[in-house]
Structures are given as structure tokens and as C-alpha cells.
Amino acid sequence: MTAALPGPAFSVHDIPFSTYGSWFDISPVVAEKTYAEDLHLVSHQNGMHAVLRLVPVGQATGDRAETRVEATPGLLTWTGGSGGVGLAYETPDTVRLRGRGLGMGLFAAAEALTPFSGTYFFHDPAADAYVFTSYETGRRYRVTVLSGAVAETAGEQTLGSADRGLTVTAEADGVWEIAVEELDTARPPFTSELSFEKVVESARAAFADFVDAVAPWRSAATPAAELAAYVLWSATVRPAGLVTRPAVLMSKHWMDKVWSWDHCFNALALAPGCPELAVDQFHLPFDHQDETGALPDSVTHSEVLHNFVKPPIHGWASGHLRRRLPMPPNQAELAQSYERLERWTDFWLTARRAPGAELPHYQHGNDSGWDNATTFDPERVVVTADLAAFLALQMRELAALAAELDERDDERRWTRAAEETQAALLDQLWTGDRFVARGAATGNTWSSSSLLDLMPIVLGEHLPAEIGSALADRIKAHLTPYGLATELTTSPHYLADGYWRGPIWAPATVLIEDGLRRAGHHRLADDISARFRALCETHGFAENFDALTGTGLRDRAYTWTAAGYLLLAEAYARRDGR
């Protein structure tokens, strides 16, 4: 067997094994919060679907073998008392498996086959390969035996419910090897000039190049940087279906979409080292902007959702992105960003302002990205301070882009609009010591114990100093040993696994840390950064974290969490002079 090569080791129970560009992964996670006993080939075309079950077997007995699973970016291994099996990606749609002393069974994950669901299995004489066709993904999975032998098959051409698959083994001291491809309808029979060792080395080298580009500043002081880079690299898919560009999914677990604010953090983390990929991340949701200027809620392979939107942090992100790119955008790129941001801003000023209102509103907590935050408990159609603050920043970015494009009238127009929006925010929602929310229809106002109420700190240097200080003091109250709780831990509404009613989240952390720093509260910003970095270094890159224990919650391989770590770790490394 090939020995594990350098790179961060990780558990496939937390992070799927995959490669840049692939639409499938190898993981025991087969559905939301559902872990199978065996690893599966899980595809994310047409949704998340477990397609093949991978079962290590004893070569002498043919029975399922107990094994230890280990993973590094280039190689996944099953190791048992009698031998082992290795798996590596040769290309984004092809994996190679090789074994000695252990065989491997590949079986359809779905036992039932109906006229509209399940997996059909047969031998293809034209390619001399075994094929699984999946109704759920709309793709085929072809298994070609390169060496060794098929010990047995089950369910060939069988309809209805049955086990379907094959088991590959070799002679007692021999080696077997197969290739598994995800394909559309047909392609020539599989051939390759690469040895298994070369496949592993190529995969390892591809990741090494990526991490060197994305995190050249890494050191022992930022120990999770390589694994964070792997989470981003392995969650990237090639353009397919409705995904118009190379895309970093939020996860190759069940959160396998691009949501229209998550992508901003991935773009920023990638910008210095992978500028083209970063720009693709920023623009992908804008490729689906509708006639009103609204961005979709989310985009994935076969689905674009418009039933909600996400908060307009894109002006904030655009400004940071332009400054982080190694080469400044050219005039055509600036013009495209300006046009798209202008339409997005106009959506909030038209479709989301009630008649006579100066400030826009959300229609549901989902629009804010903080789905169930306590800010939305009294009412859901709400004028909130975070929305006005983001919009004011977006208008300032439009003014900056207009200046770059030498559109002076537009520059003045957007500067004035930003000032008027911020003035209305302070006049209507600031009470003298805190921000309140207001019902868009009722006019009722209220405050909450949600960190969302403090998000206007993102205005940074644009805030009056006394308001920035008041917000900073309230933000301190949300700090736990692990970071910023999204609901005060003393609140009666606090829930340890309450989504936005307590757990720590990367986007809130990054936005608040940046706003505090720009407002001059460097010590508090440093503290928040240090706690979040330590959290990720200890507990990984989960969707969110228990604010009182640090335990990772929900999806355990979330890219905006990894991106948040990379952004904060890079900034720390540069401040530290590394």
C-alpha cells in the first residue's frame, strides 16, 4: 500500500474526502445529520445523493472487514489486520482504488429500484465495465477493473428491490485496482498511463499548490490554515448545471449550495492567492440576478431559489475584494461590479421600502441571514439597523466605483444617498444607548438580546465615536471563551444549539471584527479574532459552535467558517510580522 503523504490529516466523519472541481465526495455522511456505517460515494448533482456504498471485505472470507479509515488531501485509506485499500482522485470525476490483502465491495446505496427512483446496475460489454445508473443524480457511475478480479456480482439487470453491485479482490499476495467514474451518457473505455502512486502524488501536489497560494503566510502560530484551505479546495466544483462558474459550495455535506452572502467570505479568503476563483465566487449569485435586481437566496447544480434574499453585504465585500486582489480590476470589471451592485441596491430602495419610508425592511429573518434571531420574534416584516448599515456601506462602495469609472455625478449621488441612509438609521433606530427594530407595518419598536442588533458596528469609521463605543461595550457582553454568542448567554431565549439564538458563527465574527477595527477598537477586535481562531484550531470548521463549550454544531465542514479562519489568521500573521 502507498503510505499516507504529507498534508493535514482529518476525519471523514467531519470533512468529506474530495478534490477541487469534483461534484462527488467520499464520506459516511449520506443526508442531513445522517451517518452511515460505511463510506459512500455521495454526489451533489441534482441535490445530495448517496450513490455507492464502499464496503471493505476480507479477501479470504468475502465478509465485511473492520478497518481504520484515515485521510489526507491526496489519499484516503482503509486499513485492516490483513491489508488495506487506498483511494485517490485522478480527475474531478474519476477515483482510483487499489487494494492488497483486502477486497472492496461497491454496492448501490439505494436498494429499491422503481421506474422513477433508485439505481440500476449492469455490465456494459462495449466498455467491459460495470455501470450503476442513478435516477437521483441523473448520472452514471462506471467501474472498470484494471487488475485483480471480480469475486462476485449481485443484482445485474435486476428490477425492483435487490442488492446491486460487485466485489473486487486479488490473489492472496496480489494487488487489485479499479477506476470509478461519474459520467453522463457514455465515454470511451477507461484507460490511464498513471500508476496509482502517481495519481496520489498528483493529487497531493495539486493541494499543496493551492495552500501555498492561499496561505503562504501560515506558520505554527496559525496551525489550522492548511486544513481550512483543504475545506475550501475540496468543496470547489467545476461549472455544471445552473452553476455558471467554478464554485465553492458551502459544504460537500448537506449544505451543498452557494448562498448569497456566504460566497462573499470565500471570495475574500481566496483573493490574494486565487484571484480568478475569488472573483468567480463574488459574481456567481449575480449571474442569477432577477429583473428587479434581487439576488437569489441560493444557487446549486439544479436549483436557484428566489423565495428569500440575503443581506446586502456585497458593497462591504466588494471594497475589501478590490483591495485584496493582487491586480486591481480593469475598467470593464469595475463597470460590471458597479452595474450589478447598483441593481441590487435599487432592489432594496424600491421593492423593500414601504411608501414614504426612508429605510428598507426584511420580510423574514431568512432575508437577514440570521434566520431565527430573536430580533424577529415580535414581528417578521421588520426594519432593522443591520440592513440600513449594510446598505449605507454598499452605497459608499457604489460611490467609490463611480469615482474609479470617472462618473462624478453618480459618485456624488451615492455619497449623498449613503449619508442620508445613515442619518435615517441613527434618527429612527438609535435610542441613545442601543439600536431597536421596527415593524414595517405596525411601527412598533423593540430591542432584543441578539448580536444582530449590534451589527451596525460594520459602519466602522463612519460611526460617531460615542455610538461606536456604546456598541463595542455591548459586543463585549456577547463574548464567551470561544467567541461571540449570537444571543446573550444570560437571555431566556438562549439555546446551545439554537442556530442564530446562541451559537458562534463565522460571518458575524468577521464582520464585527472588521467594523471594530475600523472604528478604532483594536484591542477588542484582537480578542475576538484570537478566540475565534483558537475555536477553529480546536474544534474545526463547523457551520456554527456551541458558545459555552466550543463544540462544533450542524454541518461540520463549512467553507465560510474556513474562510473566516483564513481571513483572521492572515491578518494576525501580518500584524505579528510573520
Side-chain angles (χ1 to χ4, degrees), residues 344-532:
W344 178 219
T345 305
D346 285 341
F347 162 80
W348 290 99
L349 298 178
T350 54
R352 290 299 180 88
R353 284 202 298 191
E358 295 180 273
L359 297 176
H361 59 266
Y362 293 129
Q363 294 178 342
H364 186 280
N366 289 359
D367 285 342
S368 75
W370 294 52
D371 309 359
N372 65 335
T374 54
T375 301
F376 301 98
D377 279 0
E379 299 179 32
R380 258 61 65 196
V381 183
V382 180
V383 177
T384 63
D386 69 297
L387 174 53
F390 290 140
L391 205 60
L393 286 179
Q394 191 151 291
M395 291 166 172
R396 291 186 184 278
E397 172 64 4
L398 283 167
L401 289 170
E404 292 275 354
L405 294 166
D406 201 29
E407 298 288 346
R408 298 303 173 183
D409 288 344
D410 283 353
E411 178 189 5
R412 287 187 288 271
R413 174 169 64 90
W414 285 118
T415 299
R416 184 170 62 252
E419 292 170 349
E420 290 172 349
T421 298
Q422 182 168 324
L425 163 65
L426 299 182
D427 179 58
Q428 297 177 30
L429 300 181
W430 179 250
T431 66
D433 66 344
R434 67 190 308 155
F435 283 103
V436 295
R438 189 181 72 233
T442 65
N444 296 334
T445 61
W446 60 88
S447 61
S448 76
S449 297
S450 175
L451 186 64
L452 182 63
D453 291 6
L454 309 180
M455 289 305 292
I457 193 65
V458 298
L459 287 166
E461 69 276 22
H462 305 296
L463 276 174
E466 65 276 12
I467 294 180
S469 294
L471 291 175
D473 287 341
R474 289 189 177 275
I475 288 167
K476 289 177 189 175
H478 284 261
L479 266 177
T480 76
Y482 303 98
L484 290 170
T486 46
E487 179 80 7
L488 285 176
T489 58
T490 55
S491 164
H493 305 294
Y494 173 85
L495 294 170
D497 187 10
Y499 224 49
W500 293 94
R501 301 170 82 92
I504 296 164
W505 287 79
T509 301
V510 171
L511 286 162
I512 287 175
E513 192 269 356
D514 174 69
L516 285 168
R517 203 172 291 285
R518 289 188 292 107
H521 297 276
H522 296 283
R523 183 174 297 178
L524 179 56
D526 287 346
D527 190 10
I528 289 169
S529 172
R531 295 188 197 203
F532 185 78

Side-chain angles (χ1 to χ4, degrees), residues 74-370:
L75 179 66
L76 174 69
T77 60
W78 293 259
T79 304
S82 58
V85 177
L87 181 151
Y89 278 83
E90 181 167 350
T91 68
D93 63 14
T94 302
V95 290
R96 295 268 289 273
L97 289 87
R98 188 179 71 170
R100 181 193 295 273
L102 284 177
M104 181 64 73
L106 296 90
F107 300 97
E111 182 177 296
L113 175 65
T114 78
F116 304 105
S117 67
T119 302
Y120 173 60
F121 174 61
F122 65 98
H123 180 263
D124 176 8
D128 190 20
Y130 291 87
V131 178
F132 298 84
T133 68
S134 167
Y135 273 105
E136 282 71 26
T137 69
R139 302 299 183 274
R140 296 171 176 233
Y141 302 83
R142 188 170 72 180
V143 181
T144 302
V145 178
L146 306 178
S147 65
V150 176
E152 61 178 336
T153 63
E156 282 190 72
Q157 301 185 42
T158 299
L159 306 179
S161 292
D163 287 333
R164 294 176 174 82
L166 69 156
T167 301
V168 185
T169 61
E171 297 297 328
D173 295 323
V175 174
W176 61 264
E177 190 169 342
I178 62 175
V180 182
E181 305 164 87
E182 183 177 56
L183 52 92
D184 293 339
T185 305
R187 64 173 58 159
F190 178 83
T191 59
S192 176
E193 297 180 356
L194 294 179
S195 68
F196 186 79
E197 288 83 1
K198 289 292 186 182
V199 171
V200 174
E201 175 57 27
S202 178
R204 186 205 65 80
F207 172 69
D209 289 344
F210 181 86
V211 72
D212 283 345
V214 169
W217 40 262
R218 67 194 186 279
S219 72
T222 56
E226 286 196 6
L227 191 55
Y230 177 76
V231 171
L232 289 170
W233 181 78
S234 63
T236 304
V237 296
R238 66 188 183 279
L242 296 170
V243 174
T244 51
R245 304 162 183 260
V248 181
L249 303 178
M250 290 312 100
S251 173
K252 279 184 180 169
H253 287 326
W254 59 86
M255 300 296 281
D256 56 352
K257 297 183 179 184
V258 176
W259 274 269
S260 292
W261 68 312
D262 310 46
H263 68 110
C264 292
F265 301 93
N266 290 340
L268 295 180
L270 293 166
C274 299
E276 291 184 6
L277 183 61
V279 170
D280 281 334
Q281 299 325 294
F282 182 77
H283 280 287
L284 192 151
F286 284 95
D287 292 344
H288 298 277
Q289 199 167 15
D290 74 12
E291 64 277 3
T292 71
L295 296 184
D297 185 43
S298 62
V299 178
T300 192
H301 177 271
S302 303
E303 175 185 86
V304 177
L305 298 183
H306 287 279
N307 54 323
F308 293 107
V309 293
K310 286 293 175 274
I313 69 165
H314 303 82
W316 169 86
S318 172
H320 281 293
L321 181 62
R322 288 191 296 113
R323 291 185 287 274
R324 289 178 59 78
L325 291 171
M327 292 288 291
N330 60 36
Q331 290 291 291
E333 293 165 336
L334 289 170
Q336 182 186 50
S337 294
Y338 178 82
E339 187 269 339
R340 290 179 158 194
L341 279 176
E342 182 177 47
R343 293 182 59 222
W344 178 219
T345 305
D346 285 341
F347 162 80
W348 290 99
L349 298 178
T350 54
R352 290 299 180 88
R353 284 202 298 191
E358 295 180 273
L359 297 176
H361 59 266
Y362 293 129
Q363 294 178 342
H364 186 280
N366 289 359
D367 285 342
S368 75
W370 294 52

Side-chain angles (χ1 to χ4, degrees), residues 557-574:
Y558 216 75
T559 55
W560 76 356
T561 307
Y565 177 84
L566 290 171
L567 287 167
L568 296 175
E570 178 193 358
Y572 165 71
R574 301 207 185 286

